[in-house]
Amino acid sequence: MAEAWLLIKIGAVFLAGLFAASVWNKNKNKVKAAIAVGALLSFFDFILENIGKITGYWESLQGSFYILHVPIEIMFITFFGGIFWSLMLPTNRHTRFSIVFMLVGILFGVFFESKLVDIGLFAYGNGWTSFHALAVYTIIIFLMHETFYWAYAKFSGGKFKWISFDFED
């Protein structure tokens, strides 16, 4: 199973690196904002992974090296996965696109986590289910989305506007 973590890490780094390299010359501020999102996701996941292990609700298994209760593989995946996810966002916010994009991210996160459970790299306990994970993913994806646009506005000198649900954009 350690091979599965290695393949997942390599895939996350490759995809994030590929997208970052393709965007860097066109829009350095977008890449910087994406790195901020990757760092935020990695930080939040580090906190949540430790809380889950301590409370017995969830844990990551078979990591190669742990920092507290978090395998280094998870930190790689969240950092580079956050970068990859953010680089797919347009720099101009569009409400309809944002909602669909966040829904896809939420569903992919829950699906990916369920596959980790299936292959024995992640485990739920004390009644925690994928439905609970869905709620957490919803909050985290929303925070990632807003962080990207906030960081992009900061790096590019623009003005940040919270997501609106007027659907006029």
Side-chain angles (χ1 to χ4, degrees):
M1 284 305 160
E3 298 84 22
W5 277 129
L6 180 62
L7 290 174
I8 293 168
K9 276 194 303 192
I10 291 170
V13 171
F14 176 75
L15 288 174
L18 182 67
F19 267 65
S22 69
V23 173
W24 182 254
N25 289 330
K26 296 176 200 165
N27 194 340
K28 291 177 177 62
N29 293 326
K30 184 174 184 177
V31 176
K32 291 175 187 176
I35 291 169
V37 171
L40 174 83
L41 180 59
S42 192
F43 172 76
F44 272 124
D45 192 72
F46 180 78
I47 301 285
L48 292 172
E49 287 279 335
N50 281 296
I51 290 170
K53 173 66 176 171
I54 291 167
T55 59
Y57 285 114
W58 62 84
E59 68 176 304
S60 297
L61 306 168
Q62 301 182 34
S64 60
F65 176 76
Y66 285 79
I67 299 174
L68 295 179
H69 299 292
V70 184
I72 194 74
E73 291 86 354
I74 294 293
M75 296 175 84
F76 267 88
I77 293 165
T78 55
F79 180 69
F80 289 106
I83 292 171
F84 173 68
W85 184 87
S86 299
L87 288 172
M88 291 189 288
L89 284 168
T91 54
N92 295 326
R93 182 192 300 258
H94 301 283
T95 303
R96 287 185 183 111
F97 176 83
S98 291
I99 290 170
V100 171
F101 192 71
M102 286 189 286
L103 286 172
V104 170
I106 292 163
L107 294 175
F108 177 79
V110 172
F111 173 77
F112 185 69
E113 189 169 288
S114 73
K115 293 299 135 199
L116 292 176
V117 170
D118 289 347
I119 64 172
L121 296 178
F122 201 78
Y124 293 143
N126 291 338
W128 189 267
T129 67
S130 292
F131 293 111
H132 298 102
L134 181 70
V136 173
Y137 273 99
T138 301
I139 294 166
I140 295 297
I141 294 286
F142 178 77
L143 289 173
M144 289 169 57
H145 181 268
E146 293 304 297
T147 299
F148 173 78
Y149 286 109
W150 172 82
Y152 185 75
K154 291 294 179 192
F155 290 127
S156 64
K159 188 174 182 182
F160 173 69
K161 178 183 112 182
W162 283 97
I163 193 169
S164 65
F165 295 101
D166 58 11
F167 296 104
E168 291 181 18
D169 55 350

